[in-house]
Amino acid sequence: MDFVARFLGRRIEYTYEVVDLVPGERLVMRTAQGPFPMQTTYTWEPVDGGTRMTLRNNGAPSGFATVAAPVMELAMRRAMTKDLAALKRRPEA
């Protein structure tokens, strides 16, 4: 699947491939094409009154990204937190 985002003021495009899927429990995707290799894992588990979703990104920066990795990690964490907060505010359909 193709994914387009804005990160640090730049447009970035990825192509993800699904590498593991257990419906209602886990989804693992990794970049097949994009600016840096990354794997994203979503897990879901029932909790009192709802469902807990956990999101984990793992990547191995190379080139300039290696030097900028600490700054990029912080920026990615902020962007992900912002996106998840926006998702949480949306009413369930």
Side-chain angles (χ1 to χ4, degrees):
M1 68 191 86
D2 293 325
F3 178 75
V4 177
R6 296 207 55 83
F7 181 67
L8 297 176
R10 302 182 81 188
R11 177 186 163 100
I12 53 175
E13 298 179 20
Y14 291 96
T15 299
Y16 279 105
E17 62 181 335
V18 174
V19 295
D20 187 25
L21 174 63
V22 179
E25 186 178 319
R26 179 179 57 250
L27 168 64
V28 182
M29 304 181 305
R30 73 173 154 231
T31 53
Q33 181 179 353
F36 47 84
M38 182 169 47
Q39 180 169 296
T40 302
T41 303
Y42 299 89
T43 58
W44 297 273
E45 62 181 308
V47 295
D48 289 340
T51 302
R52 173 179 294 130
M53 192 243 348
T54 303
L55 169 61
R56 179 173 301 272
N57 285 316
N58 295 307
S62 61
F64 173 74
T66 303
V67 175
V71 173
M72 289 179 62
E73 179 181 354
L74 182 59
M76 287 179 73
R77 187 176 308 275
R78 279 192 203 135
M80 191 177 358
T81 299
K82 180 181 170 186
D83 290 347
L84 291 173
L87 182 61
K88 186 175 184 177
R89 287 191 301 270
R90 291 185 61 155
E92 292 186 23

